[in-house]
Amino acid sequence: MPASAAERPQGFWQSRPFRYIVNGLVATAVHFAVLTFNLKVLGFASAGFANLIAAVFGIATSFIGSRVYVFHGSAETLLHQISRFILLYVSIALLHGALLYAWTDVMALNYIAGFAVATVMQVIFSYWGNKILVFKV
């Protein structure tokens, strides 16, 4: 009996961690582009607030990529995935925004470096949260 796609050995390029990295890079690029647009074009005074808005765009990109590309074998219903994903990502976005607010608005440090630090935290929390809580794979 042939093994299912989930049971077959995978090379690194087809592995879930690799797909997660690709999806995360795309979502982070969207997030960062909207953050920069908010700060440079729209002239937001607060990097923390600009980041919270940008996070919505990054989060939407991340969900679509996670559902379709990274964790596509999940048996969870779309409604369960969306509700858990929103809860997870609202929590992560608030942490991300608070960190960037403290880093840039309070400590007057460069927003790009703060974004990088906050993103490392986000990557760790989102992978395990998606794997264990949202898509349960």
Side-chain angles (χ1 to χ4, degrees), residues 71 84 126-137:
F71 301 106
R84 290 183 189 127
S126 67
Y127 181 80
W128 290 107
N130 278 319
K131 184 173 175 56
I132 296 167
L133 301 172
V134 177
F135 299 101
K136 298 186 176 185
V137 292

Side-chain angles (χ1 to χ4, degrees), residues 5-6 10 14 16 19 65-76 81 135 137:
Q10 297 178 341
Q14 293 83 32
R16 185 170 287 131
R19 291 190 315 259
S66 290
R67 179 167 168 75
V68 173
Y69 179 60
V70 181
F71 301 106
H72 55 82
S74 176
E76 294 295 305
Q81 289 175 350
F135 299 101
V137 292

Side-chain angles (χ1 to χ4, degrees), residues 9-117:
Q10 297 178 341
F12 176 74
W13 304 113
Q14 293 83 32
S15 69
R16 185 170 287 131
F18 177 76
R19 291 190 315 259
Y20 175 78
I21 290 167
V22 170
N23 185 56
L25 289 172
V26 171
T28 299
V30 169
H31 185 159
F32 186 72
V34 174
L35 170 63
T36 301
F37 181 81
N38 288 345
L39 292 170
K40 302 294 184 181
V41 176
L42 299 180
F44 280 51
S46 168
F49 183 65
N51 186 59
L52 286 174
I53 292 171
V56 172
F57 290 88
I59 289 167
T61 302
S62 180
F63 178 78
I64 293 166
S66 290
R67 179 167 168 75
V68 173
Y69 179 60
V70 181
F71 301 106
H72 55 82
S74 176
E76 294 295 305
T77 66
L78 178 61
L79 184 59
H80 283 127
Q81 289 175 350
I82 289 172
S83 61
R84 290 183 189 127
F85 190 89
I86 289 170
L87 179 62
L88 175 66
Y89 274 75
V90 164
S91 300
I92 292 171
L94 290 172
L95 287 171
H96 199 284
L99 196 150
L100 193 60
Y101 171 79
W103 186 279
T104 304
D105 298 339
V106 174
M107 298 187 302
L109 299 171
N110 182 278
Y111 80 95
I112 296 172
F115 184 88
V117 170

